[in-house]
Amino acid sequence: MEARIVEIIPRTYNVKSVRLATAQELPYQAGQFGCFILKSEIECKRWLSLSSSPTEKGYIEFTKKLTESDFSKALGRLLPGDTLEVQYPFGKFTLEQGQAKVAFLSGGIGITPIRSIVKDAVDRRLGTDMVLVYANRSVRDIVFKEDFDQMQQQCPLLKVAHVLCEPTPDFKCTTGHINAQVIRNEIPDYRERKFYLCGPPAMVEAMKKILDAELGLPQGNIITENFQGY
């Protein structure tokens, strides 16, 4: 279907969210994705997670890290009022009914479907105990930082732990990368949780190995989404 851009929101120095209004709003689940097609000199297509929550009415939103790709360049030229084509929803990276405890491991722009899931759970007051461990290079690379700060204030069942390669003295975080010890420290009851992993494919594979080989979690407790939206 055709969708009209209603707002473009800078999230960091190199990440933007694009909010779209469609003639027909399709029901979707938090964590699902869509196919977005830009008509410029050449047709550019990307499969991207919906960063909006079904509780946010009147628009759908995707969030993209800007690179040197044709899609990013075409996206950078768009303005509110412009249109693009969208097909959605797809995917099964969603919360199961009645899950009591979950954990999310994410890196960089892989946070987009997790933002959708957490926002939906907070808004609907699902009562799900959630821990997010989110890895980035530096504070300025944290996407949706303000959103997660606000959601933590709203929901005592949500904990967000940041892991940064280049920390600053005034920001509370763990230095380095997500590893087994970081998971033990931030999620002491990790054996009781279902884990959702989303990020660059290499990171997702590394996290699966840590959870499986080092922490002994069963495969049924590990749900993955190899994020390709670069």
Side-chain angles (χ1 to χ4, degrees):
M1 67 180 69
E2 188 173 82
R4 178 176 52 85
I5 297 174
V6 293
E7 191 174 4
I8 299 173
I9 306 168
R11 297 295 185 182
T12 70
Y13 65 96
N14 64 350
V15 173
K16 288 184 178 180
S17 291
V18 179
R19 290 186 174 177
L20 304 168
T22 59
Q24 177 189 4
E25 278 194 42
L26 299 180
Y28 68 97
Q29 291 179 271
Q32 290 190 299
F33 63 90
C35 178
F36 300 90
I37 304 166
L38 308 183
K39 303 286 188 178
S40 56
E41 294 83 2
I42 58 173
E43 182 178 283
C44 301
K45 178 190 296 187
R46 283 291 185 278
W47 300 88
L48 298 168
S49 297
L50 295 168
S51 52
S52 54
S53 160
T55 59
E56 296 172 299
K57 304 300 183 182
Y59 63 86
I60 59 171
E61 175 187 286
F62 70 87
T63 299
K64 178 76 173 67
K65 181 178 180 180
L66 302 181
T67 65
E68 292 303 311
S69 70
D70 290 336
F71 185 91
S72 285
K73 290 176 181 177
L75 184 63
R77 293 191 288 268
L78 293 178
L79 298 170
D82 290 339
T83 60
L84 52 82
E85 291 181 14
V86 58
Q87 301 167 4
Y88 78 103
F90 305 98
K92 298 179 180 178
F93 192 72
T94 58
L95 280 186
E96 295 177 4
Q97 189 80 18
Q99 281 186 245
K101 289 186 173 185
V102 298
F104 305 97
L105 304 181
S106 185
I109 195 62
I111 196 66
T112 51
I114 295 171
R115 188 269 177 194
S116 175
I117 293 170
V118 173
K119 176 66 172 169
D120 185 65
V122 171
D123 285 351
R124 292 170 58 203
R125 300 180 181 178
L126 294 183
T128 305
D129 187 313
M130 299 176 288
V131 180
L132 165 63
V133 181
Y134 184 24
N136 283 283
R137 179 172 295 280
S138 66
V139 174
R140 75 181 194 136
D141 294 294
I142 299 173
V143 185
F144 299 117
K145 180 181 178 301
E146 292 78 13
D147 281 12
F148 281 108
D149 287 346
Q150 182 178 16
M151 285 189 283
Q152 281 190 102
Q153 293 178 359
Q154 289 178 254
C155 180
L157 292 175
L158 171 63
K159 171 188 173 182
V160 180
H162 294 282
V163 180
L164 301 179
C165 297
E166 301 171 2
T168 56
D170 58 342
F171 187 76
K172 183 181 178 182
C173 68
T174 298
T175 302
H177 302 276
I178 300 174
N179 56 36
Q181 192 55 53
V182 169
I183 294 170
R184 290 189 191 99
N185 291 344
E186 300 295 349
I187 317 173
D189 59 352
Y190 64 89
R191 294 185 186 278
E192 303 172 15
R193 296 178 183 267
K194 187 158 284 191
F195 276 75
Y196 289 75
L197 317 182
C198 189
M203 176 194 172
V204 170
E205 286 304 310
M207 295 301 100
K208 284 171 64 177
K209 288 180 181 177
I210 290 170
L211 293 174
D212 180 14
E214 297 186 50
L215 297 177
L217 285 185
Q219 287 295 318
N221 281 19
I222 304 171
I223 299 168
T224 63
E225 182 90 310
N226 284 334
F227 189 79
Q228 303 290 346
Y230 296 99

